[in-house]
Amino acid sequence: MMTQAWRLARLFLLFALLLPAAAVHADLNLFDKMITPGDVIAGHAKFEHECSNCHKKFSKKGQNQMCLACHDHSDIAQDIRTGRGFHGRHKGEPCKSCHTEHKGRKAKIVVLNKQSFDHRQTDFPLHGKHMGARKKCSSCHKPGTKYRDAPHRCVSCHRSDDKHHGTLGTNCENCHSDKGWKVVTFDHSKTDFPLHGAHRRVKCRACHKTGIKAGARAKKLPTSCYGCHVRDDKHRGALGKKCDNCHVEQTWKTVRFDHSKTDFPLHGAHRLTACRTCHLANLRKPKPPSNCYGCHVDDDVHKGQEGRECADCHNERTWKTALFDHGLTKFPLLGRHTKVKCRSCHRTKRFQDAPTRCVSCHRSDDAHEKRLGSNCGLCHDASSWKHWIFDHNKQTGIVLDGAHRNLACVSCHVRPTNGRPTLSGACNDCHAQDDVHEGEFGQYCERCHVTSKFSVIRNLPTLLH
């Protein structure tokens, strides 16, 4: 009896204590009025008449779901589901651990210490220069907007700082870091056009004149040399559009084209010849000639007389170096002729016009004054003028014997003549003035006389016989 009476006394005391609170919360039912811990904030006051608006009976976990299902907290629910944002990083913690209610109409249940807030708990950790913005949150978080609605993209805050004026797109982080605008981290090697050589020193806007917005990069920016350097082409298209066939990215002056892999390897003076000297037109149309004469027809001082195979005489080092073998011509060089300079006989570059007769070159050297004819080669050879061999008995029809053996040539050959001498060989041709018979015995002196001496007469019976 005492125990039950005591319980009734305690219950009566509890009602007595709750009656003042029940009078204040007249819109609550009797039980709710008895257990409410205090007033909610002004923003939640309209839901206060029914505890079930925010509380789920006998379920502490269910309360979080009711908070997240209410009005403008749907974005927070999404963050918690995806693990993003400040609330997503505190997944599993009840809302009331930070936002405690029933502290009165004027209570602040959203408490943010700007100085101690750890920005790493958000989707935008502060690094580099952004760390200085901690002292002035309003630099990024504009008044009247939720903190979570602050922009995350660089261009949203730094559009006015863009010195490229949008030509390089809006993804500032592709090149810059938050350590400072001057710190560039963009790795061009990960693009379709890695930078090498002189390209490393080129300013971005030199190529990116129309921007590199997503989806337009490949279409707007050429990756071929000619696409950017058409104005730098000193060949004016004559050597084609494949600049990298000859040039490298270090400098235009460095040429790496290997001509030895073509049908015309370069040797000698050809190595020093400017490309445009031969490649007057495009590399492919028409194709430069590969024979000497095709390029050097205007250099042919022989005017075609020596044919078109220049390499038969000349080499690629210099035109002046000739390998011509005169022994293969109709006039092989022998004796003193081997030491004579070409121009001594070849007065012009039309080499085949050079004479082959001795007298043509040696007329002034003819000590016989043409009395022995103009065919010097009958007696002389190319070794020396002083060395001569002429066999009168074998080379002519006149045999020299007797007193004729020691006679000088000019004793008989007294008149100049061209070609071979034209003396008949008859005694009277030379001895008409010596004929004491005054022609009475005819012109055949050899019938009576012998060549050893005029006074010697042949044996008369022999003559008669």
Side-chain angles (χ1 to χ4, degrees), residues 164 168 172-188 204:
H164 313 299
L168 299 186
C172 311
E173 65 276 8
N174 285 345
C175 302
H176 300 280
S177 72
D178 50 17
K179 295 179 180 178
W181 285 115
K182 295 182 179 180
V183 179
V184 180
T185 59
F186 181 71
D187 188 358
H188 218 287
C204 303

Side-chain angles (χ1 to χ4, degrees), residues 430-451:
C430 289
H431 298 287
Q433 59 184 2
D434 299 325
D435 183 10
V436 294
H437 310 296
E438 297 180 356
E440 293 182 4
F441 293 102
Q443 298 181 0
Y444 297 99
C445 306
E446 65 274 14
R447 288 182 176 180
C448 301
H449 299 278
V450 295
T451 58

Side-chain angles (χ1 to χ4, degrees), residues 372-386:
L372 297 185
S374 58
N375 191 357
C376 310
L378 292 177
C379 302
H380 300 281
D381 59 31
S383 59
S384 172
W385 284 116
K386 295 179 180 181

Side-chain angles (χ1 to χ4, degrees), residues 18 21 72 150 185 210 213 224 350 393 412 426 430 455:
L18 292 178
D72 60 343
T185 59
T210 57
K213 296 180 181 179
S224 64
R350 296 171 63 91
N393 297 339
C412 297
C430 289
S455 58

Side-chain angles (χ1 to χ4, degrees), residues 302-373:
H302 314 303
K303 306 303 178 184
Q305 275 195 349
E306 304 301 325
R308 298 187 175 187
E309 297 298 329
C310 309
D312 287 347
C313 301
H314 301 278
N315 59 41
E316 294 176 275
R317 290 189 295 276
T318 172
W319 283 113
K320 296 180 179 180
T321 302
L323 302 175
F324 182 69
D325 186 358
H326 221 287
L328 300 177
T329 69
K330 297 178 180 179
F331 194 89
L333 300 182
L334 305 172
R336 297 292 293 275
H337 283 154
T338 60
K339 299 179 181 181
V340 175
K341 293 182 178 180
C342 301
R343 62 175 176 270
S344 297
C345 299
H346 299 283
R347 304 298 173 85
T348 70
K349 298 298 182 179
R350 296 171 63 91
F351 288 161
Q352 293 189 24
D353 291 345
T356 58
R357 298 182 64 222
C358 304
V359 70
S360 300
C361 290
H362 298 288
R363 191 178 300 278
S364 61
D365 301 324
D366 182 14
H368 312 300
E369 299 177 351
K370 295 181 64 175
R371 287 178 293 183
L372 297 185

